[in-house]
Amino acid sequence: MTNELPKTFPKDFNELIEKIRSYNSNIDTDIPLIWKAYSFAKTAHKDHYRNTGEPYFIHLYQTAYILAELNMDTSTICAGFLHDVIEDIKIPEEVLRNEFTPLIVSLVVGVTKIGDMDFESKQQEQAQNFRKMMLKVAEDIRVIIIKFADRLHNMRTLDAMPPEKQRIKSLETRDVYAPLAHRLGMYRIKMEMEDLSLKYLNPEIYKELNKRIDDQKKRSQHDIDDFISLVKKYIDEENVEARVFGRIKSFNSIYNKMLRQNRPFEEVFDILAIRVIVNSITHCYSVLGIVHQKFTPITERFRDFIATPKSNGYQSVHTTVIGPKGIPIEIQIRTDEMDKTAEVGIAAHWKYKESGESDELDKHVNWLRDLVDILKNDTQGDEEFLETMKIGLFSDEIFVFTPKGDLIKMPIHSTALDFAFAVHTEVGFRCIGAKVNGKIVSLNTQLSSGDRIEIITSTNHNVSYNWLRFVTTNRAKSRIRKWLQRHEFEQSVKLGEEILEKGLRKAKLSAKIKDAKTRFKELDYDTDNLFYQAIGKGDLTVKQIIKELYTKDEEVKTAGGFFPALHQYRSTNGISVSGYENMLVQLAKCCNPIPGDEIIGFITRGRGITVHRHDCRNIPNLEEEKDRFIDVKWQVKAGRTFVTRINVIGEDRANLIYDVSQIIHDQHTNMLSINFSVEGKLARGQVAVMVESLKHAERIMRKLKNIPGVLTIDRT
Ligand code: MN
């Protein structure tokens, strides 16, 4: 490569530089570097053509140009030129390293690694690709911005591709890239991507919309022009400087509105839209005042995103007024800077530094931080991951308040518990209840904009698996999972120790408790905790321990008769095992399955079958231990009952415990124990009852839920 600069640059190169100069006046010092990337790409791809028949370089130039339109820094624009040299031309990374800065090379490598997602692949692979992509994005957000530019140009030139390829690319653009662009506040790119996807995924609709929008424009152009000059006149009278113009709505947003509201095109498109651009925030509100004074506003359509910006940075005031002919007209008022931000989103906040750090940017986008959290805490199943991603990407926001009046932005459908985690992780862990607008509500209550939320906490952590069923934010989900993972081991250890003590006592071997606790090595466990954990998980039973350690023991024999007294000895426990007879079957004590629960059997080596609830957290890894799972079915004799534990949280008040026990009594149900403790204004308790079936348990739970003041009911 030669580093010499030519006397005159090609026309397209000059155009690019002028584009950059419009937002970066210091561009001259970077010209040699950009020229190097330009020429390197041109040389590398010289024998390479696109499906359209054009030189491939056109794609690279256009990618770089789109990046300049997004006001990106020099490194990103250079990487835009080079983004296909590794993959398509097989130029080794080292060669790039000799020619360009580490930052440029790392951006190119990042884009190459993301690759394209194969939308025909299994959901699992999709999720993995997506995960990979998001981790790259989290490392340096410029990687995805280059990918956006690349994809946008490919979508603009998709005509040259075969139909199947068009469909796949369009799906991917609509479902992955456009939502991501939306999240990053890059509305212009998002709009174009969506409209182009619609063009290929639904050509008839696209054509029809195109025609109708044209017709409509011709018909209403006059009305809009009139309205614009009227608004302009009123603003001028107040000596406010402003630009007023008509706004084009995207095809996709019109189409979505038709689908969503099930309304014909005419009604949806009848809403005219204009935009007013002013110099300062003060002027935004002056214009708003003028408009509201001259026209009747539709109050429920008023949104102030200047006072409370969206988390992707979007700011503007939106209002809809009744125009002169009785037609509703939407008006967006914003400053130049806000307009820029709405165009290019996160890129508008780009600092022209070559530091390679994108902390500044990441700070701007909270959801990205949450996402990185999730990706690093890799415990979600693939399907579940895709689901959370989709919710995160498409969700809109609500605005809620702390008791002190601080504003917190949450995704729509957030619950009180999500709010607790949004305030602070520790508040989430200690959360036992919530008040919304002064009224005590259950933790799974969904919040609405404007709600004032007070979280009631206790001194201890109250995290439960049940929480995962209703929290919706990524943040809450990942924090809860992490906590549970950490405590799972501790929990089974504690449970195991209890089971051991109780079991030995029941077998009239209380004297052996101390001894049994020290002899875990004889049973092949390295530590006492692993020994307890095995008991807690149901992999090792007290009966087996007694058999191994004490059957030869004279003392025990004389105590005699302990086997029939043992819990696990009851025939087949109401379970039938396919293909096996007289297997030793026991119900896992971690999840206490009852008839009606979906269950699964796990063969414990040489110790029979442990039956867990289908969703029990203590089930060993399904993939690794596939061979040890076995189908089991309930086969219960009438009248047989099973232990289940029901958790109750409610407002503390006199007679709460009485009411709970009364209901259980009324249901002719045998209660084994009831424990309540009071924390602040809330009472938490657990009742252990003997039930015949899941239906029976659910009936009791429904009745308990109806007790005044009771907030949540669940089964352990
Ligand atoms: Mn490309």
Side-chain angles (χ1 to χ4, degrees):
M1 288 289 314
T2 165
N3 287 332
E4 261 170 59
L5 295 182
K7 291 226 166 56
T8 52
F9 290 114
K11 187 164 158 272
D12 60 350
F13 184 78
N14 281 331
E15 279 166 9
L16 174 69
I17 296 298
E18 286 323 301
K19 184 80 216 169
I20 301 171
R21 199 187 304 283
S22 71
Y23 62 91
N24 178 7
S25 51
N26 298 323
I27 184 60
D28 287 335
T29 49
D30 288 347
I31 287 179
L33 184 58
I34 299 177
W35 174 249
K36 194 172 174 185
Y38 176 101
S39 350
F40 189 96
K42 201 162 205 174
T43 313
H45 289 272
K46 70 177 187 308
D47 297 323
H48 186 192
Y49 292 88
R50 306 197 78 213
N51 278 18
T52 55
E54 300 165 312
Y56 197 83
F57 179 73
I58 289 187
H59 167 64
L60 306 167
Y61 177 81
Q62 288 301 332
T63 302
Y65 195 85
I66 293 170
L67 289 169
E69 285 179 323
L70 289 170
N71 298 6
M72 294 310 294
D73 61 323
T74 298
S75 297
T76 311
I77 289 169
C78 291
F81 276 117
L82 303 169
H83 80 267
D84 280 329
V85 293
I86 297 184
E87 187 156 19
D88 293 349
I89 306 297
K90 311 281 177 243
I91 287 186
E93 216 177 296
E94 301 83 66
V95 174
L96 277 188
R97 262 181 222 296
N98 291 335
E99 301 286 339
F100 297 99
T101 63
L103 174 57
I104 294 177
V105 178
S106 99
L107 289 173
V108 174
V109 170
V111 177
T112 309
K113 279 203 181 134
I114 287 181
D116 283 342
M117 293 181 54
D118 180 2
F119 256 57
E120 300 296 276
S121 65
K122 281 186 301 199
Q123 205 171 26
Q124 201 179 19
E125 286 162 34
Q126 268 186 46
Q128 263 151 24
N129 278 334
F130 205 16
R131 221 184 268 252
K132 212 167 66 185
M133 176 158 107
M134 293 317 297
L135 273 174
K136 272 283 151 215
V137 171
E139 259 170 46
D140 191 326
I141 207 146
R142 284 172 288 189
V143 168
I144 197 71
I145 295 179
I146 297 168
K147 198 74 197 164
F148 284 158
D150 171 42
R151 175 50 61 100
L152 188 58
H153 184 248
N154 284 335
M155 286 300 291
R156 285 176 183 170
T157 51
L158 207 57
D159 275 337
M161 288 287 182
E164 187 49 22
K165 196 105 185 181
Q166 290 176 345
R167 200 183 66 83
I168 293 170
K169 291 282 160 197
S170 299
L171 271 178
E172 191 184 70
T173 303
R174 186 193 69 190
D175 292 347
V176 179
Y177 290 100
L180 263 176
H182 173 81
R183 273 280 135 177
L184 297 172
M186 306 167 86
Y187 286 99
R188 195 177 61 77
I189 284 209
K190 173 217 171 196
M191 219 166 93
E192 196 179 340
M193 281 180 175
E194 280 181 344
D195 285 356
L196 287 167
S197 309
L198 184 67
K199 180 175 162 188
Y200 293 100
L201 291 174
N202 225 330
E204 275 88 55
I205 300 237
Y206 184 84
K207 251 181 246 155
E208 182 68 16
L209 278 175
N210 204 0
K211 190 178 148 298
R212 289 191 179 215
I213 288 171
D214 249 22
D215 289 354
Q216 184 75 23
K217 253 194 223 152
K218 274 175 212 147
R219 257 181 291 138
S220 61
Q221 194 58 49
H222 193 68
D223 290 339
I224 291 200
D225 288 346
D226 281 356
F227 186 73
I228 287 175
S229 41
L230 199 58
V231 170
K232 186 93 181 83
K233 187 182 123 226
Y234 292 141
I235 295 175
D236 283 347
E237 282 168 11
E238 303 295 324
N239 289 320
V240 174
E241 217 179 289
R243 284 184 289 134
V244 186
F245 48 88
R247 191 167 70 83
I248 305 151
K249 287 198 166 180
S250 80
F251 286 27
N252 196 66
S253 72
I254 295 170
Y255 180 53
N256 273 342
K257 224 180 218 169
M258 286 165 62
L259 287 184
R260 214 173 36 230
Q261 304 179 354
N262 199 12
R263 284 161 58 191
F265 173 83
E266 287 71 22
E267 282 177 41
V268 171
F269 195 66
D270 250 6
I271 302 161
L272 306 179
I274 69 163
R275 186 172 293 158
V276 182
I277 308 285
V278 293
N279 296 332
S280 68
I281 291 180
T282 325
H283 284 168
C284 289
Y285 291 106
S286 314
V287 170
L288 182 69
I290 296 166
V291 167
H292 278 183
Q293 202 189 333
K294 301 288 183 186
F295 308 97
T296 311
I298 304 174
T299 38
E300 60 267 30
R301 301 282 306 266
F302 175 72
R303 304 283 284 282
D304 184 352
F305 294 117
I306 292 181
T308 51
K310 292 190 182 182
S311 62
N312 61 20
Y314 180 83
Q315 284 190 296
S316 186
V317 172
H318 294 186
T319 187
T320 301
V321 300
I322 308 293
K325 288 186 177 167
I327 309 166
I329 299 172
E330 193 185 285
I331 305 171
Q332 298 183 342
I333 309 163
R334 54 175 80 152
T335 64
D336 266 317
E337 204 192 321
M338 291 170 191
D339 197 45
K340 181 99 238 170
T341 305
E343 278 264 294
V344 302
I346 200 163
H349 303 273
W350 195 252
K351 304 269 185 292
Y352 302 110
K353 277 188 310 198
E354 290 289 307
S355 65
E357 278 172 33
S358 52
D359 280 5
E360 275 288 312
L361 291 182
D362 289 355
K363 244 182 258 157
H364 217 80
V365 185
N366 287 327
W367 69 272
L368 194 62
R369 234 185 315 165
D370 292 346
L371 195 62
V372 178
D373 236 45
I374 294 193
L375 292 166
K376 290 191 174 149
N377 173 29
D378 194 21
T379 57
Q380 278 189 106
D382 286 319
E383 256 169 60
E384 201 181 344
F385 170 77
L386 265 190
E387 214 27 61
T388 17
M389 270 315 301
K390 277 184 188 148
I391 293 168
L393 286 173
F394 290 102
S395 67
D396 249 321
E397 295 172 322
I398 54 167
F399 301 92
V400 294
F401 297 93
T402 68
K404 281 182 190 155
D406 292 335
L407 181 89
I408 293 192
K409 268 174 288 199
M410 310 276 310
I412 199 163
H413 306 311
S414 291
T415 63
L417 187 58
D418 287 300
F419 176 86
F421 278 95
V423 171
H424 196 280
T425 305
E426 227 5 73
V427 174
F429 289 157
R430 295 175 196 281
C431 177
I432 42 173
K435 276 184 179 179
V436 170
N437 305 324
K439 260 175 56 190
I440 289 198
V441 298
S442 55
L443 288 175
N444 59 3
T445 303
Q446 287 200 358
L447 306 175
S448 320
S449 264
D451 281 347
R452 184 173 295 266
I453 300 122
E454 184 185 337
I455 295 298
I456 305 166
T457 55
S458 70
T459 44
N460 355 341
H461 287 182
N462 301 292
V463 185
S464 102
Y465 273 86
N466 194 39
W467 285 6
L468 288 171
R469 293 195 196 142
F470 61 82
V471 291
T472 62
T473 54
N474 294 340
R475 183 188 174 88
K477 273 194 183 153
S478 79
R479 300 292 146 93
I480 294 168
R481 278 210 186 85
K482 220 183 264 174
W483 191 96
L484 289 170
Q485 248 179 355
R486 211 171 49 229
H487 288 72
E488 195 165 285
F489 180 71
E490 286 170 34
Q491 280 168 5
S492 354
V493 167
K494 223 175 101 191
L495 183 67
E497 192 175 356
E498 267 174 48
I499 291 173
L500 177 66
E501 287 174 12
K502 274 189 197 145
L504 288 172
R505 243 176 252 134
K506 224 171 220 163
K508 305 206 164 45
L509 291 170
S510 304
K512 294 290 181 190
I513 290 176
K514 245 193 187 152
D515 176 66
K517 284 183 172 182
T518 57
R519 293 173 66 182
F520 48 87
K521 285 238 162 86
E522 292 169 47
L523 293 158
D524 292 335
Y525 291 94
D526 289 341
T527 69
D528 53 350
N529 277 350
L530 288 173
F531 171 57
Y532 296 142
Q533 188 201 23
I535 304 171
K537 279 185 161 186
D539 290 347
L540 174 64
T541 66
V542 179
K543 185 193 164 193
Q544 286 150 8
I545 297 167
I546 294 171
K547 207 174 157 200
E548 293 274 332
L549 299 179
Y550 303 118
T551 30
K552 290 181 199 102
D553 199 323
E554 269 316 299
E555 201 184 328
V556 172
K557 271 190 183 157
T558 50
F562 58 81
F563 268 124
L566 267 180
H567 226 234
Q568 298 93 352
Y569 204 64
R570 23 169 215 214
S571 66
T572 55
N573 277 319
I575 301 283
S576 81
V577 182
S578 63
Y580 294 83
E581 288 203 22
N582 303 322
M583 282 290 279
L584 176 64
V585 176
Q586 50 195 306
L587 300 175
K589 284 158 205 76
C590 42
C591 54
N592 287 314
I594 54 177
D597 280 332
E598 271 191 67
I599 46 172
I600 188 161
F602 183 69
I603 303 169
T604 49
R605 291 201 178 94
R607 294 161 193 152
I609 295 168
T610 311
V611 174
H612 291 264
R613 256 150 79 178
H614 197 258
D615 54 358
C616 175
R617 58 183 192 266
N618 284 324
I619 295 179
N621 188 310
L622 254 171
E623 285 299 306
E624 285 168 29
E625 308 270 8
K626 224 185 269 161
D627 302 340
R628 298 174 64 193
F629 284 99
I630 186 164
D631 273 339
V632 288
K633 273 207 274 309
W634 289 105
Q635 198 176 57
V636 189
K637 283 196 197 107
R640 201 48 221 277
T641 55
F642 298 80
V643 187
T644 190
R645 292 169 206 283
I646 299 171
N647 303 310
V648 182
I649 298 180
E651 283 171 71
D652 181 40
R653 60 171 175 81
N655 293 331
L656 179 65
I657 296 180
Y658 173 80
D659 288 349
V660 169
S661 37
Q662 195 58 41
I663 278 176
I664 289 160
H665 177 81
D666 289 348
Q667 293 297 312
H668 308 288
T669 302
N670 192 1
M671 185 164 75
L672 298 177
S673 68
I674 180 165
N675 284 300
F676 266 83
S677 63
V678 175
E679 298 174 65
K681 293 164 191 155
L682 288 194
R684 286 152 49 83
Q686 191 182 66
V687 261
V689 290
M690 298 299 291
V691 293
E692 285 172 13
S693 64
L694 182 60
K695 264 194 191 143
H696 184 180
E698 284 174 342
R699 194 170 64 232
I700 295 171
M701 288 166 72
R702 261 197 313 279
K703 301 259 179 200
L704 291 176
K705 183 82 215 244
N706 285 336
I707 297 177
V710 165
L711 300 168
T712 61
I713 296 289
D714 60 40
R715 250 177 90 203
T716 299

